Amino acid sequence: MAAGAAGAAAAAAAVEVCSAQHFEELLRLRAKSLLVVHFWAPWAPQCAQMNGVMAELAREHPQVSFVKLEAEAVPEVSEKYEISSVPTFLFFKNSQKIDRLDGAHAPELTKKVQRHASVGSLPPSGNEHPKEDLSLRLKKLTHAAPCMLFMKGTPQEPRCGFSKQMVEILNKHNIQFSSFDILSDEEVRQGLKTYSNWPTYPQLYVSGELIGGLDIIKELEASEELDTVCPKAPKLEESVEYETFDILEDEEVRQGLKTYSNWPTYPQLYVKGELVGGLDIVKELKENGELLPVLKGGNE
């Protein structure tokens, strides 16, 4: 009870941003320290949970400034920093944004606060080499698969409406693609905008070349050019031979296989006698473009 009360008191003491001018003033006043800004909404229960986490971090790191900003109440700031979901945390040093965390990830928030609180500001001359490394990394990422989608979230859990629409279009056309969650890496998120000269997400690449965002893909779909631009996923029934066993016909096999495979549910998919997984695993492999290689590898 005492710890909970202390956390609540710390949360109540967090500075509340009430306007864009107030936010800019805080950036100037706290420029010499690490400033962590929580973009939140009163209707989101996960924000209340993260406020509690932030309160504990404030007690552990008194040198760090923690701020709450209601995303919908101060839209100028939210739009400037592309806040599309809550909770989102931005990290500032010397009035400059240095990092970002989207979502209610308490361990990751703790890790980022500890890391940024313990290091000083990088000297200006230290920025040139990392830029070269980032450019090489972006080139590798854009060439990581024949069709690469840079999106907010994952195909299974898109984190914005535009990314969701893009995934739906690609799946509808049976296009084989891999994806990268730009919310998981702020360096890639910002660097790819410059690399591609394209300011928004999602972005779709084919053979390392930018095709465009959602509007371009919609245009390609409407003109029936999308299927010729993007690689199609081969139909499994045309390229993989498989056999089935009805576990409802044999109770001994039904129960025994659960123990044998250490997998409690059905269906179960095996390749060369090795368990691949159940439906969720197979769906994930398919959406990542990895299912056919796994299945074909088993037939060679």
Side-chain angles (χ1 to χ4, degrees):
M1 288 292 292
V15 176
E16 287 268 10
V17 173
C18 56
S19 67
Q21 292 78 9
H22 185 201
F23 179 73
E24 294 298 329
E25 184 182 347
L26 278 172
L27 283 183
R28 289 193 300 272
L29 291 175
R30 312 290 172 89
K32 293 183 179 179
S33 65
L34 174 65
L35 177 66
V36 181
V37 183
H38 178 198
F39 289 80
W40 71 290
W43 44 262
Q46 60 269 38
C47 289
Q49 172 195 343
M50 294 306 291
N51 276 337
V53 174
M54 196 168 69
E56 290 300 318
L57 289 172
R59 293 171 60 199
E60 296 172 15
H61 302 277
Q63 78 279 19
V64 178
S65 299
F66 291 89
V67 170
K68 292 164 59 180
L69 187 152
E70 188 177 337
E72 293 169 349
V74 193
E76 309 98 301
V77 177
S78 298
E79 290 170 8
K80 178 179 179 180
Y81 293 101
E82 298 181 351
I83 306 300
S84 58
S85 61
V86 293
T88 292
F89 293 85
L90 297 187
F91 301 75
F92 293 86
K93 264 189 180 178
N94 300 319
S95 302
Q96 299 296 317
K97 178 166 69 79
I98 59 171
D99 206 348
R100 177 185 184 116
L101 174 64
D102 292 79
H105 307 295
E108 189 65 21
L109 177 62
T110 302
K111 190 190 307 180
K112 285 180 179 288
V113 169
Q114 290 172 342
R115 184 170 76 246
H116 292 305
S118 63
V119 298
S121 300
L122 288 172
S125 60
N127 289 335
E128 295 179 11
H129 186 61
K131 280 187 178 176
E132 292 181 9
D133 292 343
L134 176 60
S135 181
L136 289 173
R137 186 179 174 214
L138 293 174
K139 185 175 181 180
K140 288 179 182 177
L141 282 172
T142 55
H143 287 79
C147 186
M148 276 295 295
L149 175 63
F150 293 83
M151 61 179 293
K152 294 181 179 180
T154 64
Q156 298 83 6
E157 295 184 13
R159 295 284 297 280
C160 79
F162 296 139
S163 293
K164 183 180 181 182
Q165 289 182 60
M166 179 77 89
V167 169
E168 288 173 349
I169 290 173
L170 296 178
N171 286 338
K172 182 172 74 175
H173 287 263
N174 194 34
I175 290 169
Q176 186 172 342
F177 68 97
S178 294
S179 67
F180 184 91
D181 180 5
I182 52 97
L183 297 180
S184 68
D185 193 315
E186 183 67 10
E187 187 180 38
V188 170
R189 176 179 184 166
Q190 300 303 330
L192 195 60
K193 293 179 184 179
T194 305
Y195 179 87
S196 64
N197 194 27
W198 195 273
T200 59
Y201 291 99
Q203 296 180 15
L204 186 69
Y205 286 75
V206 172
S207 301
E209 296 293 327
L210 176 68
I211 301 301
L214 180 61
D215 288 344
I216 298 293
I217 300 307
K218 283 183 174 179
E219 289 177 12
L220 289 172
E221 182 184 34
S223 63
E224 299 184 351
E225 297 175 64
L226 185 61
D227 292 331
T228 62
V229 171
C230 299
K232 300 279 282 184
K235 293 182 179 179
L236 294 179
E237 61 268 23
E238 294 175 356
S239 53
V240 176
E241 294 182 8
Y242 65 96
E243 298 291 338
T244 64
F245 183 90
D246 183 0
I247 49 94
L248 296 179
E249 292 183 352
D250 193 318
E251 186 65 17
E252 187 178 28
V253 170
R254 178 179 183 173
Q255 299 304 327
L257 194 59
K258 294 179 184 179
T259 305
Y260 176 83
S261 65
N262 195 26
W263 196 272
T265 60
Y266 291 101
Q268 296 180 14
L269 179 67
Y270 288 77
V271 174
K272 278 190 173 180
E274 296 292 328
L275 176 67
V276 175
L279 180 60
D280 288 342
I281 299 291
V282 172
K283 277 185 174 179
E284 188 173 329
L285 288 171
K286 182 177 185 298
E287 288 167 354
N288 292 337
E290 299 172 21
L291 180 59
L292 194 60
V294 168
L295 299 180
K296 277 187 167 293
N299 290 340
E300 292 174 357

